[in-house]
Amino acid sequence: NAGVTQTPKFQVLKTGQSMTLQCAQDMNHNSMYWYRQDPGMGLRLIYYSASEGTTDKGEVPNGYNVSRLNKREFSLRLESAAPSQTSVYFCASSELDRASYEQYFGPGTRLTVT
Amino acid sequence: KQEVTQIPAALSVPEGENLVLNCSFTDSAIYNLQWFRQDPGKGLTSLLLIQSSQREQTSGRLNASLDKSSGRSTLYIAASQPGDSATYLCAVLYNQGGKLIFGQGTELSVKP
């Protein structure tokens, strides 16, 4: 049981390049989330998916797109990377387990845009 | 606006001390509150989750309390150890299956 996995762990992009961050969970959770973490800003929600087939914007969605490929996988795409998107990206998932909605996080992807 | 604040931003204590980390939130209509630990360069590990109907949760040397009326939660760490050194994050959930709102964290250093 791996929990939440993310690929890649590290990535360096040039301005204008595109890439997709992958996330998968094996806990059969319905809800999945993408956050970014920046010094002095804390963790901020980019997009989330309450269930398979639905996605919603979070606090900082501009410059990103998401796809809920199936119940297990939720990807985050940067179409044209900008230096402001240099950050650590975390994927998380949650489920109604004894009414807790406890969120479980992946190890993160460290992205640098030059 | 729903905001979560953690004080202090950093804390350094000698090994063996009992310590308290503070978290405050502006909107008391919470669903639950989670405390996480984050080691440098790593992801978040969930420590304790308190439902809105609960007053406290305990796990080993950790005890988290919740006072919704005053918009506060505390994380108590007993007999601190150097291995407790990490950043501790508080996060509030306002809606079922919804978005966590995070505090900025308290960076704890426990000196041997």
Side-chain angles (χ1 to χ4, degrees):
Chain A
N1 191 342
V4 181
T5 57
Q6 294 183 235
T7 56
K9 286 188 167 56
F10 301 94
Q11 184 71 48
V12 179
L13 292 178
K14 294 188 189 312
T15 297
Q17 287 185 318
S18 62
M19 77 162 295
T20 300
L21 283 64
Q22 307 285 355
C23 172
Q25 51 89 12
D26 61 2
M27 296 174 279
N28 202 35
H29 287 172
N30 278 314
S31 300
M32 298 185 72
Y33 311 83
W34 276 105
Y35 296 87
R36 60 177 287 175
Q37 184 176 37
D38 303 289
M41 303 293 292
L43 278 107
R44 294 177 292 170
L45 184 69
I46 305 171
Y47 270 93
Y48 68 105
S49 171
S51 60
E52 188 179 352
T54 67
T55 60
D56 286 287
K57 294 178 180 179
E59 185 182 353
V60 288
N62 291 345
Y64 305 95
N65 286 302
V66 290
S67 295
R68 184 72 182 268
L69 304 169
N70 47 56
K71 192 172 185 180
R72 288 187 66 248
E73 298 171 289
F74 188 37
S75 64
L76 179 72
R77 182 160 178 84
L78 287 69
E79 290 291 353
S80 178
S84 61
Q85 294 178 304
T86 293
S87 187
V88 182
Y89 291 85
F90 289 102
C91 177
S93 70
S94 73
E95 186 53 274
L96 177 60
D97 175 18
R98 291 169 292 167
S100 72
Y101 282 106
E102 185 171 4
Q103 289 199 14
Y104 297 85
F105 281 73
T109 294
R110 283 147 185 81
L111 174 67
T112 301
V113 183
T114 60
Chain B
K1 184 181 177 184
Q2 294 164 336
E3 293 181 341
V4 179
T5 304
Q6 290 185 250
I7 294 173
L11 182 64
S12 182
V13 301
E15 183 177 4
E17 268 203 12
N18 302 325
L19 59 99
V20 173
L21 306 180
N22 296 295
C23 172
S24 61
F25 43 94
T26 54
D27 183 346
S28 62
I30 70 170
Y31 186 80
N32 67 36
L33 184 147
Q34 249 179 293
W35 282 94
F36 294 89
R37 169 184 172 137
Q38 185 176 28
D39 293 287
K42 304 293 186 185
L44 279 69
T45 301
S46 180
L47 297 173
L48 290 165
L49 182 147
I50 310 179
Q51 299 285 19
S52 62
S53 58
Q54 297 175 320
R55 295 300 301 270
E56 64 177 344
Q57 282 283 353
T58 299
S59 176
R61 293 182 295 109
L62 304 180
N63 176 277
S65 68
L66 175 64
D67 184 344
K68 276 201 316 176
S69 62
S70 65
R72 296 185 185 200
S73 176
T74 61
L75 180 66
Y76 175 82
I77 303 177
S80 58
Q81 303 170 357
D84 294 330
S85 298
T87 296
Y88 291 81
L89 295 158
C90 164
V92 175
L93 185 69
Y94 283 100
N95 301 298
Q96 295 181 20
K99 305 158 272 191
L100 280 176
I101 298 177
F102 281 84
Q104 302 253 0
T106 294
E107 185 176 356
L108 174 66
S109 175
V110 181
K111 307 293 187 186

